Amino acid sequence: MSTATPPARSRAPHRTAALTAAAVTGALLLTGCSATSSSSGGGGGDAGSASDLHALLPAQIRSAGVLRIGADLTYAPIGFKAEGGAPDGLDVDLANALGGLLGVKVQFSDVPFDRLRLGLQAHEYDLVMSGMTDNPQRRDGTDDQARKVNDGLDFVDYFVTGTSIVVAKGNPQKIAKLDDLCGKTVALQRDTVQAVLVERQVGACQKTGRKLTVTETETDDQALALVAQGKAAADLNDTPVAQHAVKNGRAGGQFQVVGPELQVAPYGIAFAKEDSALRDAMVKALDQLIRSGEYDKVLAKWGLGGGAVQSAVVNGSF
């Protein structure tokens, strides 16, 4: 996660995919949204109705009438499965609202987070909306040493958040900051910005002679379970997810957040580099959703209004 953000109203208290459809961990999940017209104002001559926005979509999406979205639905309150298995969460509600403006239905594929990018670049879905942080490495397709490892992605930024340290309730290992993790074990979901952050901390801990051990898991619930069981001192995850775990208890334990929020950056809707037409249509739809006030209503529903952005930004983090 990078330290820069797109313009935001205020600040509030992440994630690559299946090479084949068989690797998708859940069946396709369909959520319908009817086409709607917006009478909201706004400058710049942006499209003002669902029919206008629909015309901006690539032909194959207009013909299918469906926008296919890859998401890891294990990350409440951002994206998860409600009772009965239906997709739910901030990203799901925003996607449905955007689909309505674009005049298409929204269809979710439930995919492990560390496989989302590959599935997107293989065109198994049209975009990824899964609490994925927009950062230079994901945009440029580079690793932490700036080596080119894939074709990279484009992002339309839509929400701002940071990373929090989650520990067992009562903070038995007295964690207050990253340096307190030296000499201990940390659990976290693989291929996230938190994994990169902790890898850097591993080097810092080595200089002190106190090894930081990292256990990477497929889901954040698995990481939280290790904290609850005393097998890890802490889990690092996105602040809304951390706060949800504290409020609701998850993975068989009770938790608390310690220390300051780290590395604030935007979530972005992710697109393959060649899908610029779809990306640009989504920019207009998101801007219209923001102007209409529906965007704020969705964030308020999940108690996440502090992460609101003022407008859609393409590749805004640095």
Side-chain angles (χ1 to χ4, degrees):
M1 183 177 289
S2 75
T3 56
T5 70
R9 293 186 179 92
S10 60
R11 275 286 312 119
H14 284 296
R15 283 162 125 314
T16 54
L19 288 169
T20 68
V24 175
T25 61
L28 293 181
L29 300 163
L30 187 66
T31 55
C33 46
S34 60
T36 60
S37 296
S38 171
S39 59
S40 62
D46 282 352
S49 71
S51 60
D52 294 332
L53 290 170
H54 185 77
L56 299 176
L57 291 170
Q60 69 273 20
I61 296 177
R62 295 199 310 270
S63 177
V66 175
L67 189 65
R68 303 171 303 156
I69 301 178
D72 178 2
L73 298 174
T74 66
Y75 213 55
I78 304 302
F80 61 98
K81 291 181 182 178
E83 290 185 18
D88 202 0
L90 173 70
D91 281 352
V92 175
D93 284 351
L94 287 175
N96 277 324
L98 290 166
L101 289 174
L102 290 163
V104 292
K105 291 183 178 180
V106 172
Q107 186 183 68
F108 280 87
S109 292
D110 184 13
V111 181
F113 188 79
D114 61 350
R115 299 176 189 165
L116 280 168
R117 176 188 58 79
L118 288 175
L120 179 59
Q121 292 176 331
H123 301 288
E124 292 171 10
Y125 23 85
D126 302 309
L127 58 88
V128 165
M129 197 165 180
S130 191
M132 184 176 282
T133 300
D134 170 6
N135 62 26
Q137 290 76 29
R138 286 177 173 150
R139 292 200 306 269
D140 299 339
T142 56
D143 62 17
D144 205 32
Q145 284 73 49
R147 296 172 298 198
K148 187 77 172 178
V149 293
N150 62 71
D151 291 337
L153 303 171
D154 278 340
F155 290 91
V156 174
D157 299 339
Y158 65 96
F159 182 75
V160 181
T161 190
T163 290
S164 290
I165 302 173
V166 182
V167 301
K169 190 172 181 64
N171 195 10
Q173 300 202 44
K174 309 303 180 188
I175 307 297
K177 56 187 183 299
L178 280 177
D179 287 344
D180 294 336
L181 299 175
C182 295
K184 297 178 171 61
T185 295
V186 172
L188 46 82
Q189 187 173 12
R190 69 172 61 94
D191 211 39
T192 59
V193 292
Q194 287 81 22
V196 175
L197 173 62
V198 169
E199 184 59 34
R200 293 170 181 164
Q201 186 62 29
V202 166
C205 290
Q206 285 177 338
K207 295 177 181 178
T208 71
R210 296 177 295 150
K211 181 182 178 181
L212 171 57
T213 301
V214 181
T215 300
E216 294 192 350
T217 61
E218 184 170 294
T219 70
D220 187 60
D221 271 350
Q222 292 170 347
L224 286 170
L226 293 176
V227 176
Q229 296 160 11
K231 296 178 180 179
D235 170 29
L236 274 70
N237 55 29
D238 293 348
T239 294
V241 180
Q243 292 177 336
H244 186 269
V246 170
K247 181 179 179 180
N248 297 285
R250 282 173 53 192
Q254 297 294 319
F255 305 98
Q256 69 184 73
V257 170
V258 297
E261 187 176 42
L262 308 168
Q263 294 195 137
V264 172
Y267 282 169
I269 305 170
F271 303 84
K273 287 288 188 181
E274 61 269 26
D275 290 338
S276 58
L278 177 57
R279 178 201 66 199
D280 294 345
M282 190 61 69
V283 168
K284 292 183 180 295
L286 179 57
D287 274 336
Q288 186 163 312
L289 192 70
I290 292 170
R291 291 196 306 270
S292 73
E294 287 302 310
Y295 170 83
D296 285 330
K297 291 179 182 178
V298 172
L299 267 62
K301 171 185 172 181
W302 295 101
L304 297 174
V309 298
Q310 293 179 339
S311 61
V313 176
V314 175
N315 297 332
S317 180
F318 59 88

